[in-house]
Structures are given as C-alpha cells and as structure tokens.
Amino acid sequence: MRIRIVGAGAMGRGIAQWAAVAGHTVELADVRREAVTAAVDFVRSMLDRAVDKGRMTAGDRASALERLVPLDDPWAEGPDVELVVEAVREDLDTKAEVFGGLERALPASAVFATNTSSLSVTRIAATLKDPSRLAGLHFFNPVPLMRIVEVVPGAATRPEIPPFLTELVTGCGHRAVTVADTPGFLVNHAGRGLVTEALALLEESVADPVDVDRIARDVLGLRMGPFELMDLTGLDVTAAVIDSIWEGFRHEDRLRPSYLTPNRVVAGLHGRKTGRGWYAYGPDAPAPADEPPVTGDADRPVFVAGDTAYADALAASGAVVEAGAEPSERAVVLVPVWGTTVASAVAALGLPAERTFGVDPLPAAGRRRVLAVTPAAEPEAARDARAVLARAASGADPYAVSVVRDTAGSVAQRLLASVVSVASSIAERSLAAPADIDLAVTAGLGYPVGPLAWGDRIGAARMLELQRALHATTGDPRHRPTRWLTERAQLGLPLTDPGTSPAACAG
C-alpha cells in the first residue's frame, strides 16, 4: 500500500517508521521541509538502533528506508496513494486546510485518516467535500512501541473504511479497537477514572500524592501511581483532557475535574518537563520522603470487627488476635471497611473511637497494608495498630503500612471503583465493545488487567455493593452505580459479557 503521512512531528515520524517497517511505501510530508529531513534522520537512527540490538537485520533496515519517501509538498499529486494519515497540530482549521489541499491533489479513492486525539472526527470530516472518506486513526506515542490504535468512524464515514483501517493496523503488527466518535475516544476517556478519583482524594486530604501512588502500585498493582502518571504526561495536558471530556459529556459527575489543577497549571507545575509537579525532578531535586519507621508495639492485642478472613490473615502473620464478641480494654480494633467509613462503624457498633481503625480487605498486589484513622484516634494506639499490620509470617519481609485519613472505602477501593465505573459507563453507552475496552486500557495505559475484567475479579455483586456503599455514605453522584454493573450483578453476568441485544431477539 502507498500511504502519505502529513505532519513530520513526533507522531508522524513514528507512524512513518511503523508503516515502512511493515512493508508499506510511505510518503512523508510537512509544510516545513526541514521537519521532513529531521524525521527521516530520526527514523534512520531508530532503525540503526534496532539493528545494533539485534531486533532487525541490516537488509530489512535498508529496505524500510527505501520505502520512506520524503516529499517537498504535502499536496503533491499522488495517483497511487491509497491512504493519507494526517498528524498535524490539534487545531480544526489547520486540519481542514490540510485535507482541503489533499482532496484537490489525490484521487477520490484515497481514504483519509486523522490522528486527532481530542477533536471530533465528524467535525473534521464536515470540512471536506466528501466527509464519507474520513475516519479517525488514533495512535499513541511512541508509535512503534504502543501497539494499540483506535479506529474512530465519524457520523458520515463509509462503512467499509473502519474494517479497511483495522486490517491495515493488524497487518502491521498492532491491535485495533473500534470506538465511537466521542470526547476522549476510548483510552483517554477510560483513563479519567484513576486520575479524577486520585485528585478527589487529595482534595479531601485523605492522603498525600506519594501515599496515593504507593497504594496504587502496591495494593492495586499499577505500574505508576496517578500522580506519577500526571507528572509524566504533563499536568497541563492531563488537565486539558479532563476538562474537555467532562465538558463533552455534559458535566457527567463521574468525570468531574478537580479545583486543584488550574492554579498548578498556571504556576507551571506541569511535572517532569518543567522540573516540578506533584514531585520535584532534576539532579538536585530531593527524593520523596521515606516512610516513617514502624515504632509501635506489634504484640498489642488486636480485635477484628466482622471479618474472620482478615482476622485469620493477621493471626497467620503472628499478630495476637482476640476472639469473642467484644474487644478487651487493651486491644486495638480493626474494621475492614467496604465502601463505608470507620466512623460509621464506631457509631453503629459502639466501638471505642480512640483505638478503632480501618483496614482495606482488598488483597494487595504487593506487601502493603493501609490503616485509616479518624479524628478521634489516639496516636499511640495508631502506632501500635500500624506495627501489628506490618507484621509478617516467619521468614517473610514485613508489610509496608500507609496511614491515611478515614474515608468511605479507603484509597484503593475508591480508585478501583472509579476505574471500573468509568469503563462500565463506556460499555453502557456502547462507545466500545467490552473486550475492546479492556484491550485498549491494558495496552494503552498499562493497567495490570482491563477494568471490566478487574471488576469481575472482585465480582459484579461485590463491586455493586462497594459502589452503592460509596454513594450512600458520601452522597456524591460520582459514585452512583452504572446500569451496566447493576444489571450484571443482578443477573449473575460478568462485566465483560456484552449481553444479548434487542436486535438479536427481533429476527
């Protein structure tokens, strides 16, 4: 296939490398000739590195470079061009100008694709004389390594174009997911669940960014915590995406932005690229503070309220776990919370407020437990409870223990509930198939498991119980359960099941 790529920046040159290595002839063009030269040099250096590392032969490198054809004019005639991929800046007028010139230069049979990440594909297509020839083809940076591509049909896109683009993507070794033309498409939309809930936790002073990140990594198993991720992406970019998706979905509560981000963006606290974000960067930047040492009495007796499995796990770690219906006067009390608060358990069960603490019963992906403290907590009792939680079975490393403020569900539960809820909302609206949601999120965001499959690991009924408890405890509509989750919990279906459609039953 002969493909023309217009835009020789980071995305354009990545797409050019990907397509040329896969065997396609690639015309690379830009309004700045020097940008094309720099892009070809970059691709050459990447292929040289691949040869040096043994991932490509010298012959394959030479063939790929022969297939990379620099153009002086983006709007040059091209009777043999079958596909155009536009990768210019995110501006509707600029993209309209590019496609207008391409319509005049190329045959009507050439398919047009835009790599837009934030603009409506339908609105871009509407600037063409023939809007039916354009679809979205959204790659992720770096293109050769991020092996997922979103295929986005616009409202007028011809039905044969999405399968054509999907076949191209899979033939070049990447995975394709078809998604609706909605704000954020799929990956950026699904990614809002983690960061918006992390910002909400920070708003409520539940935990500092470093503690939220530690819990996200060590309890949920994420590669990076949400604040680390925002610093890597750039808070200016993250905040703009959060705002645009929230506005695009008409102020949907579960996508609600935080008041914390605008001032930080204006102050230039964007993350790695500015040297300071939620963390400091650079050779002289201080490292995040170490966790406080465990100083309490690990032998203090502990009483676990209402969860024998958690009590058994503590006992297996060597903790002195009390039996009976009520705690002794010496014991610290641990309450495994599920969408509720420690404070509500103190009031409902008549527990001693000064020595009652919350724990998260979610199975940890690493060796970390979480202790939630209320305003009534006695510091010495909290230190002792932390020491008890840090205990490990003989021969094992001790657990790290994060101390956070009491909140409905604790930190990990709220992050997980939000991730599953946003993905369920995407499925409920039929913006993407359940399997594509999980594939795109694992490939595009690096989550250990897709959000719907993650919910299934917990169980649909258990997730519904969590979200109903969060909603009832906080009164915040951001936590309301989706119909997708509610129905599947009631019917005994997994969240990954697309279900039976009315169309399947009509004929």
Side-chain angles (χ1 to χ4, degrees):
M1 183 184 300
R2 193 172 191 90
I3 302 171
R4 179 175 298 182
I5 298 170
V6 181
M11 294 303 298
R13 67 193 185 191
I15 299 167
Q17 175 184 334
W18 168 79
V21 168
H24 300 287
T25 300
V26 178
E27 300 177 350
L28 183 58
D30 196 286
V31 292
R32 297 181 302 113
R33 185 67 179 82
E34 63 273 19
V36 176
T37 301
V40 172
D41 290 343
F42 177 84
V43 172
R44 182 180 292 109
S45 70
M46 291 295 100
L47 299 186
D48 287 345
R49 182 182 300 180
V51 172
D52 292 342
K53 292 186 176 182
R55 296 197 301 261
M56 173 180 278
T57 68
D60 287 343
R61 167 198 172 278
S63 297
L65 289 174
E66 287 178 3
R67 290 190 290 269
L68 186 57
V69 182
L71 290 185
D72 291 327
D73 180 8
W75 300 286
E77 291 187 0
D80 298 327
V81 172
E82 297 175 67
L83 171 67
V84 174
V85 181
E86 165 273 310
V88 303
R89 67 189 182 94
E90 287 290 89
D91 176 76
L92 182 61
D93 291 339
T94 302
K95 293 181 186 293
E97 180 182 357
V98 167
F99 281 120
L102 291 167
E103 268 196 310
R104 293 187 292 271
L106 300 181
S109 59
V111 172
F112 289 171
T114 173
N115 185 53
T116 184
S117 60
S118 62
L119 299 175
S120 163
V121 171
T122 300
R123 294 186 68 180
I124 297 170
T127 67
L128 299 177
K129 293 179 181 178
D130 178 12
S132 71
R133 70 191 300 186
L134 183 139
L137 194 63
H138 181 215
F139 293 83
F140 296 85
N141 194 31
V143 174
L145 299 181
M146 296 293 287
R147 302 173 70 85
I148 188 73
V149 184
E150 295 176 326
V151 175
V152 190
T157 301
R158 294 197 299 268
E160 67 269 19
I161 288 179
F164 165 77
L165 294 176
T166 296
E167 183 177 357
L168 167 71
V169 169
T170 56
C172 292
H174 278 28
R175 304 288 295 274
V177 291
T178 301
V179 305
D181 182 20
T182 53
F185 304 143
L186 175 50
V187 173
N188 282 332
H189 185 174
R192 295 319 93 203
L194 180 68
V195 294
T196 54
E197 196 61 37
L199 289 165
L201 288 163
L202 187 60
E203 281 185 8
E204 298 166 26
S205 299
V206 173
D208 292 334
V210 66
D211 290 314
V212 174
D213 283 347
R214 286 167 176 158
I215 293 167
R217 292 193 308 266
D218 296 344
V219 177
L220 296 181
L222 295 171
R223 295 179 188 172
M224 300 181 72
F227 293 99
E228 294 171 310
L229 181 61
M230 284 186 268
D231 273 1
L232 178 64
T233 305
L235 187 62
D236 54 335
V237 175
T238 298
V241 171
I242 290 173
D243 287 347
S244 67
I245 293 176
W246 179 64
E247 291 166 3
F249 281 97
R250 297 299 187 262
H251 299 177
E252 164 63 54
D253 286 302
R254 72 183 83 248
L255 302 171
R256 189 169 65 236
S258 169
Y259 71 81
L260 295 173
T261 56
N263 281 350
R264 298 185 68 89
V265 171
V266 171
L269 302 176
H270 298 171
R272 292 178 181 268
K273 62 186 176 184
T274 60
R276 187 178 168 203
W278 302 108
Y279 302 95
Y281 300 91
D284 300 323
D290 292 335
E291 296 185 72
V294 176
T295 59
D297 179 6
D299 293 321
R300 184 165 176 175
V302 61
F303 177 85
V304 178
D307 191 328
T308 56
Y310 198 89
D312 291 344
L314 285 182
S317 296
V320 180
V321 180
E322 291 188 348
E326 295 183 357
S328 69
E329 293 185 0
R330 169 71 177 152
V332 291
V333 181
L334 300 181
V335 180
V337 295
W338 191 251
T340 56
T341 62
V342 183
S344 64
V346 168
L349 303 176
L351 300 172
E354 71 281 358
R355 50 191 174 97
T356 297
F357 307 94
V359 290
D360 191 339
L362 272 176
R367 296 195 65 79
R368 180 173 299 277
R369 289 168 170 166
V370 181
L371 183 74
V373 300
T374 71
E378 198 277 313
E380 181 182 358
R383 290 190 290 269
D384 292 346
R386 183 167 181 254
V388 170
L389 290 181
R391 296 187 67 141
S394 177
D397 292 332
Y399 285 89
V401 182
S402 296
V403 182
V404 302
R405 176 174 289 186
D406 182 28
T407 185
S410 198
V411 172
Q413 289 173 32
R414 281 183 53 174
L415 294 176
L416 177 58
S418 183
V419 167
V420 173
S421 182
V422 170
S424 296
S425 178
I426 293 171
E428 181 177 294
R429 291 182 166 99
S430 300
L431 305 185
D436 283 348
I437 295 171
D438 279 356
L439 169 62
V441 169
T442 52
L445 298 176
Y447 288 10
V449 64
L452 298 177
W454 207 342
D456 284 338
R457 285 188 178 183
I458 304 299
R462 184 77 163 146
M463 287 301 305
L464 179 59
E465 179 188 350
L466 172 60
Q467 293 192 356
R468 280 177 169 169
L470 289 171
H471 191 202
T473 303
T474 65
D476 190 336
R478 73 187 292 116
H479 299 302
R480 74 190 188 282
T482 60
R483 188 184 74 244
W484 186 271
L485 172 60
T486 302
E487 286 181 339
R488 277 153 182 75
Q490 293 169 337
L491 296 171
L493 295 174
L495 299 179
T496 49
D497 191 330
T500 303
S501 69
C505 303

